Amino acid sequence: MSAPHTRQLLAGMVGGGSGADIGKTHRHAMRLDGLFDLRAGVFGRDPLQSAVLAGGLGVPADRVYRDYRDMAEAESGRADAVDVVVVATPNDSHFEIARTFLEAGISVVCEKPLTSDSATAAELVRVAAANGVVLAVPHCYSAYAMVRQAARMVRDGRLGNITFVDVEHASGWAASPLEQLGHKQAAWRTDPDVAGFPSVVGDLGTHAFHLLRYITGLEAERLSGRLRSLVPGRRVFDHATVELQLTGEVPARLWASMAATGNNHGLRIRVFGDQGSLAWEHEDPHHLRVQDLDGTTTILTEGLSTLSEDASRLTRVGLGHPEGFLEAFANFYRDLAGELRARRDGTLPATRELSFPTGEDGLAGVRFVEAVAASHHHDAAWAVPAGATQKAQV
Ligand SMILES: NC(=O)c1ccc[n+]([C@@H]2O[C@H](COP(=O)([O-])OP(=O)(O)OC[C@H]3O[C@@H](n4cnc5c(N)ncnc54)[C@H](O)[C@@H]3O)[C@@H](O)[C@H]2O)c1
């Protein structure tokens, strides 16, 4: 048996240029477990900005390409070709870009909605299979540990037979006409030629729909949808209400909106069965609420030792630490990098009142420990940590 490869997977990216939204999230995510090394890309439409961004990301200059076609041709010819390419461009370009890489024998992570019609989406599925490569779509809400737990519980029959599903991705991010104010993401999302006329359904509805399918394992047999534009003058629909009939005639309701005034991200799902129900929402992602027939409510928390393997294998932080813990660590390193870079480059570091803790803070901590111990040994008498200036006694 040959030894397994131990090298990192090599990744490329198309899109995710300076100021772009989701590309940087992909980059952060790929770095988290150190499994991927970003080695190639076309980081936006502007070649100069793409090169500058790539330099900062450590992507070698000879692997920053003018466009995705050049990239697919050059990469597929290399011995150290990228293993996967992330397509993080606006919707109308997904098909051509993804197909180009799949045909070149390179796996693709393509942003949602996969393409703007099902014929082209099916074509991508076919091309991926024909070339023996992976085509993945980052409906990443299904990767939350507690969503996996919910899906496992439904499959294990914890809720009994599913009777109703209610899901919504109703955000308030575009409840005003942002597209008229030069907002970059709003501009293309409200352009029917780029986002498609039922824009909100592709943009947010596909996430809600995937979450519903993922947790329940049920498919939509038929549906009835109503589309509206709540923001006057908008050229695409920004509000959708959909009634569905799922496998086994299970009824469901889906609401997608980018004009749900005041709502933040607004993604949540409730699944009802004849033995119990569950509820999960993105703004409190590490809790899953489960309710029994008699109304007994149990809150499951990420990190509990009793969770399914599907959930526990995705948990990097211990019980009591929310997902934000990893971001707090990342923020520590961001501040530290600012200081280290300034020293390396001989420039002045940003002076911030609030930045990373230094050795002085570490020292203060040790003195604190000593003072607590000393106090304890003296029947909890007042103790002054070394270095502290004691307040004058009056
Ligand atoms: N999975 C999610 O949760 C999620 C979240 C946000 C956006 N998205 C999807 O990600 C995609 C991008 O959205 P966004 O908000 O980041 O858009 P954006 O407008 O912020 O960024 C798009 C980037 O693609 C670049 N680009 C466009 N055409 C290109 C080309 N031919 N070659 C190279 N670069 C090109 C632009 O220059 C820009 O840098 C969309 O399909 C959107 O639906 C998914």
Side-chain angles (χ1 to χ4, degrees):
M1 203 171 80
S2 62
H5 286 293
T6 51
R7 71 161 175 80
Q8 276 180 306
L9 291 161
L10 304 183
M13 180 172 281
V14 181
S18 158
D21 179 20
I22 204 67
K24 60 183 181 306
T25 308
H26 283 269
R27 295 194 289 264
H28 294 319
M30 283 192 287
R31 275 195 291 253
L32 192 54
D33 286 334
L35 300 175
F36 294 89
D37 184 13
L38 186 65
R39 300 302 286 172
V42 187
F43 302 97
R45 290 185 186 278
D46 180 322
L48 188 63
Q49 282 190 6
S50 169
V52 171
L53 185 75
L57 293 169
V59 176
D62 64 332
R63 294 178 82 169
V64 182
Y65 299 94
R66 202 173 45 86
D67 73 26
Y68 68 87
R69 289 191 186 85
D70 290 353
M71 177 171 161
E73 196 184 329
E75 285 295 322
S76 59
R78 294 180 70 111
D80 62 346
V82 288
D83 298 285
V84 63
V85 167
V86 179
V87 180
T89 59
N91 307 356
D92 61 332
S93 53
H94 292 176
F95 175 62
E96 289 300 342
I97 301 174
R99 183 175 62 176
T100 303
F101 286 101
L102 294 171
E103 282 177 342
I106 296 173
S107 292
V108 167
V109 170
C110 182
E111 265 302 350
K112 57 81 217 172
L114 183 53
T115 64
S116 42
D117 62 71
S118 57
T120 49
E123 173 67 1
L124 291 187
V125 172
R126 189 194 65 73
V127 175
N131 286 278
V133 290
V134 174
L135 171 62
V137 180
H139 285 300
C140 286
Y141 303 104
S142 59
Y144 276 106
M146 299 315 281
V147 169
R148 297 283 169 100
Q149 175 71 16
R152 175 54 53 212
M153 290 173 75
V154 170
R155 278 164 185 70
D156 287 350
R158 174 70 174 74
L159 307 188
N161 295 313
I162 302 303
T163 53
F164 179 62
V165 187
D166 186 25
V167 63
E168 62 192 49
H169 197 168
S171 154
W173 79 274
S176 60
L178 292 178
E179 61 270 35
Q180 292 168 26
L181 305 172
H183 188 289
K184 191 177 163 200
Q185 281 82 17
W188 71 255
R189 280 183 170 86
T190 57
D191 179 344
D193 294 333
V194 182
F197 78 95
S199 174
V200 73
V201 184
D203 203 34
L204 303 181
T206 52
H207 276 315
F209 182 57
H210 179 258
L211 194 60
L212 174 158
R213 291 178 54 245
Y214 196 87
I215 291 181
T216 65
L218 304 178
E219 296 293 343
E221 286 184 338
R222 60 180 191 153
L223 62 83
S224 155
R226 275 183 204 286
L227 299 171
R228 292 281 156 80
S229 291
L230 300 189
V231 172
R234 184 158 278 166
R235 295 193 300 145
V236 295
F237 291 115
D238 56 17
H239 172 91
T241 48
V242 187
E243 193 176 340
L244 301 109
Q245 184 179 296
L246 307 175
T247 318
E249 299 195 4
V250 173
R253 189 170 67 173
L254 183 153
W255 172 31
S257 180
M258 51 177 162
T261 310
N263 267 12
N264 290 187
H265 199 57
L267 175 67
R268 69 168 187 164
I269 185 164
R270 290 177 294 171
V271 181
F272 298 83
D274 56 14
Q275 299 301 313
S277 61
L278 59 79
W280 178 84
E281 57 186 285
H282 182 244
E283 282 156 59
D284 181 18
H286 78 172
H287 289 130
L288 178 66
R289 196 181 74 213
V290 183
Q291 295 191 291
D292 294 330
L293 205 50
D294 65 358
T296 304
T297 303
T298 308
I299 307 288
L300 298 176
T301 305
E302 182 167 351
L304 283 171
S305 60
T306 49
L307 296 185
S308 66
E309 191 268 342
D310 305 273
S312 55
R313 77 178 183 83
L314 298 180
T315 302
R316 293 181 187 79
V317 294
L319 181 64
H321 295 289
E323 277 111 0
F325 188 55
L326 295 173
E327 296 205 337
F329 258 78
N331 292 339
F332 168 87
Y333 279 106
R334 180 184 293 192
D335 282 345
L336 178 65
E339 176 81 24
L340 294 176
R341 274 203 185 128
R343 285 167 188 248
R344 181 194 64 190
D345 302 342
T347 57
L348 276 181
T351 44
R352 286 186 206 288
E353 185 185 358
L354 301 175
S355 186
F356 62 92
T358 65
E360 295 292 333
D361 299 296
L363 173 61
V366 176
R367 287 172 166 168
F368 168 74
V369 175
E370 286 172 350
V372 172
S375 170
H376 171 75
H377 286 304
H378 293 90
D379 196 20
W382 289 104
V384 179
T389 9
Q390 198 177 7
K391 205 173 159 196
Q393 299 288 317
V394 283

